Amino acid sequence: ATKLFIGGLTRDTSTKLLREHFSRYGRVLDCVAMVQPNGRPRGFGYVTLDSPSAAERCLAEPQLIDGRHIEMKRAVPGPTTAAAVYGSGRGGRGGQ
């Protein structure tokens, strides 16, 4: 499976629309248009396709979603991913 970062989304682009768009390239295993805690769109999302070849086909051609050309690249987990998800491990007790 290959996970792609999708940037430059309009505020109207939903997870459902992303899934529909990318399903023409292969099986979509996971898909999300990111939102802030208050529900406002963040303008980017992630799509995980079932095969590297499906991802290559997506990356090889410009993608137009909701009338906007979007930015796409392979999603690369950053070194701070676990810390961002789980916190720094120093919550509530003054870091002890």
Side-chain angles (χ1 to χ4, degrees), residues 19-51:
R19 183 177 296 278
E20 287 171 1
H21 179 86
F22 287 99
S23 65
R24 69 182 80 160
Y25 294 95
R27 198 157 61 93
V28 176
L29 302 180
D30 191 29
C31 179
V32 62
M34 301 300 288
V35 294
Q36 298 173 9
N38 65 7
R40 292 182 57 191
R42 296 183 66 185
F44 70 93
Y46 296 96
V47 174
T48 304
L49 294 163
D50 64 344
S51 72

Side-chain angles (χ1 to χ4, degrees), residues 9-87:
L9 300 176
T10 72
R11 58 193 184 100
D12 298 321
T13 303
S14 64
T15 295
K16 181 174 183 273
L17 184 63
L18 279 181
R19 183 177 296 278
E20 287 171 1
H21 179 86
F22 287 99
S23 65
R24 69 182 80 160
Y25 294 95
R27 198 157 61 93
V28 176
L29 302 180
D30 191 29
C31 179
V32 62
M34 301 300 288
V35 294
Q36 298 173 9
N38 65 7
R40 292 182 57 191
R42 296 183 66 185
F44 70 93
Y46 296 96
V47 174
T48 304
L49 294 163
D50 64 344
S51 72
S53 61
E56 289 299 328
R57 288 195 302 274
C58 286
L59 293 167
E61 53 191 66
Q63 300 294 329
L64 192 68
I65 299 179
D66 259 1
R68 183 182 287 184
H69 284 283
I70 56 151
E71 173 197 350
M72 278 185 315
K73 58 188 175 188
R74 272 187 177 65
V76 179
T80 59
T81 304
V85 172
Y86 299 111

Side-chain angles (χ1 to χ4, degrees), residues 86-96:
Y86 299 111
S88 65
R90 295 198 201 170
R93 294 201 172 180
Q96 297 172 349

